Amino acid sequence: MAVQTQSRNRPLSRAELRARIDRLPRTRLAALPTPLEACPRLTAAIGGPEILVKRDDMTGLAFGGNKARQLEFLFPGILASGCDTIVAGAYTQSNWCRQITAAACRLGLKVELVLVHGIKGPKLTGNLLLDKLMGANVTIVDIDDVQRLPPILEAKTQELKAAGRKPYLVSPFAMSTLSISTVGYVEAMVEIDEQLSARGLKADCVYVSGANMTPAGLLLGAKALGLTTRVVGISPVRWDEDRATDIARIANAAAKHLELDVTVSPADVENDDGYVGPKYGLVTPECREAVKLAASTEGLILDPVYTGKAMAGLIGHVRQGKLRKGETAVFLHTGGMPAVFAYAEDLVDA
Ligand SMILES: Cc1ncc(COP(=O)(O)O)c(C=O)c1O
């Protein structure tokens, strides 16, 4: 389904939308704007639309990624609390935890990470290696799902308080975290549109590893600007609940921060979970093919958990005739490259 082109009021210009974003408190952390690069060899190899890659793997903060933009809007609230320590958690190969640790280092805060064992476990490589290099205090818990993490994070926070520290718990699933972070990707959509316009181009679609804040922000940005660009999320995980409803809910909560009179409905959300494979974090043959193709045609390194599957989705959609020659597709590279090292044997033969 295409993004509806009309918001209830007239669409905002890029300058107007930027002005709304500029009203919000912000902690500068990301190297922006990121480049938008043509990929002629990858385009030719795939044989579909012209592909441009938005290089959000180059945002900085310990090897880049989409969290840098999101953290710019999350950190003012964290800093205002007067905390001395950030408590966060996810899987051991979490890009989110790596980038929040890098941001905390730059801002003079300590970090306590509670990491779920996950597929790659305590192997000291990739993101986990970087977390430790940056001085995060890491506790690894062997539970089967990150959804069970919040009470463990809460207990860690209480433990730190009892020890006289001033911890700030960044709740990974709280709407307050999700909605303000989403603003970073509203701005990314403005940036993409600006960069395309400078080349006389319009995007038919933006492909992105679709989970939460990133597709929600892009979608909200596209709607606010009145663009016909479709935001196509390729899911890294199969959700139990209705994802379109959740992504729309996150986008609409972000719209409130920006005082936008725009509503994203579940019908606006395109989310394909056909490229997850058996489960989150397991490399599929299609993902492996996509990672190798981007690397060998463009020297572009994708990650095995998110962007590799998103590119597999883009390639799959070309093969199914959903994306065609003559169209322009932006592929948003959301980062995640440190995981390449943790997944070495899943990606190449020894
Ligand atoms: C590399 C990468 N891409 C995409 C995502 C999904 O981002 P979001 O949850 O903001 O939609 C993540 C989340 O951890 C990620 O690490």
Side-chain angles (χ1 to χ4, degrees):
M1 270 158 287
V3 174
Q4 290 165 14
T5 52
Q6 293 300 311
S7 46
R8 270 179 270 144
N9 292 329
R10 80 171 167 82
L12 298 183
S13 67
R14 291 191 296 262
E16 286 169 329
L17 185 49
R18 271 200 191 277
R20 299 288 179 101
I21 295 166
D22 289 345
R23 286 188 205 158
L24 294 174
R26 183 168 188 165
T27 307
R28 295 281 173 183
L29 293 164
L32 301 178
T34 55
L36 180 70
E37 291 177 347
C39 292
R41 289 177 196 278
L42 182 62
T43 297
I46 293 175
E50 181 181 353
I51 299 168
L52 295 111
V53 177
K54 177 65 172 163
R55 298 292 306 271
D56 272 17
D57 56 317
M58 294 172 68
T59 53
L61 284 188
F63 290 96
N66 59 343
K67 309 304 168 199
R69 284 187 195 269
Q70 299 170 351
L71 291 172
E72 291 207 343
F73 295 94
L74 188 63
F75 258 96
I78 297 176
L79 296 174
S81 75
C83 67
D84 60 15
T85 305
I86 285 177
V87 182
Y91 289 107
T92 50
Q93 283 303 324
S94 162
N95 300 304
W96 154 249
C97 289
R98 182 237 321 156
Q99 288 209 287
I100 201 165
T101 301
C105 288
R106 275 178 50 177
L107 297 164
L109 300 171
K110 292 193 166 43
V111 181
E112 286 282 338
L113 296 179
V114 182
L115 301 177
V116 177
H117 199 270
I119 284 168
K120 290 298 163 184
K123 201 166 142 190
L124 198 52
T125 180
N127 285 306
L128 181 59
L129 168 64
L130 298 175
D131 295 340
K132 292 208 171 192
L133 263 182
M134 292 185 282
N137 192 39
V138 175
T139 308
I140 298 179
V141 289
D142 197 3
I143 55 176
D144 53 2
D145 191 348
V146 275
Q147 302 288 338
R148 291 178 50 206
L149 204 47
I152 305 175
L153 289 171
E154 186 55 49
K156 172 60 76 182
T157 307
Q158 293 310 327
E159 181 191 315
L160 292 167
K161 273 188 188 156
R165 300 259 289 274
K166 289 188 226 154
Y168 185 103
L169 170 57
V170 187
S171 307
F173 308 118
M175 186 50 91
S176 52
T177 304
L178 299 172
S179 64
I180 195 68
S181 305
T182 294
V183 173
Y185 273 89
V186 175
E187 187 180 65
M189 195 70 214
V190 178
E191 211 175 281
I192 290 169
D193 190 47
E194 224 156 46
Q195 289 171 320
L196 286 168
S197 295
R199 298 175 199 193
L201 293 174
K202 283 260 169 236
D204 294 291
C205 48
V206 177
Y207 271 68
V208 59
S209 176
N212 297 288
M213 304 163 268
T214 308
L218 293 172
L219 198 44
L220 178 61
K223 268 206 113 161
L225 293 171
L227 303 177
T228 53
T229 308
R230 295 159 49 221
V231 175
V232 184
I234 307 292
S235 192
V237 57
R238 202 164 287 109
W239 309 87
D240 294 336
E241 73 279 21
D242 174 17
R243 205 60 211 148
T245 302
D246 267 16
I247 289 177
R249 197 178 294 139
I250 296 167
N252 291 327
K256 288 209 175 74
H257 290 295
L258 293 165
E259 297 176 52
L260 291 175
D261 191 14
V262 173
T263 305
V264 172
S265 76
D268 295 325
V269 179
E270 287 191 57
N271 186 56
D272 186 344
D273 67 3
Y275 294 86
V276 179
K279 67 189 265 198
Y280 169 83
L282 277 184
V283 176
T284 60
E286 295 79 11
C287 171
R288 186 174 147 124
E289 178 201 2
V291 171
K292 285 185 158 180
L293 188 67
S296 60
T297 54
E298 299 285 351
L300 180 73
I301 308 303
L302 302 177
D303 84 287
V305 178
Y306 294 94
T307 54
K309 288 184 178 173
M311 184 60 81
L314 188 156
I315 295 170
H317 286 186
V318 171
R319 289 178 181 159
Q320 292 155 28
K322 292 181 184 164
L323 253 180
R324 296 193 186 81
K325 258 201 167 71
E327 292 186 290
T328 301
V330 171
F331 180 83
L332 175 64
H333 191 328
T334 46
M337 284 98 67
V340 163
F341 303 101
Y343 280 78
E345 59 282 0
D346 303 305
L347 293 171
V348 289
D349 298 324

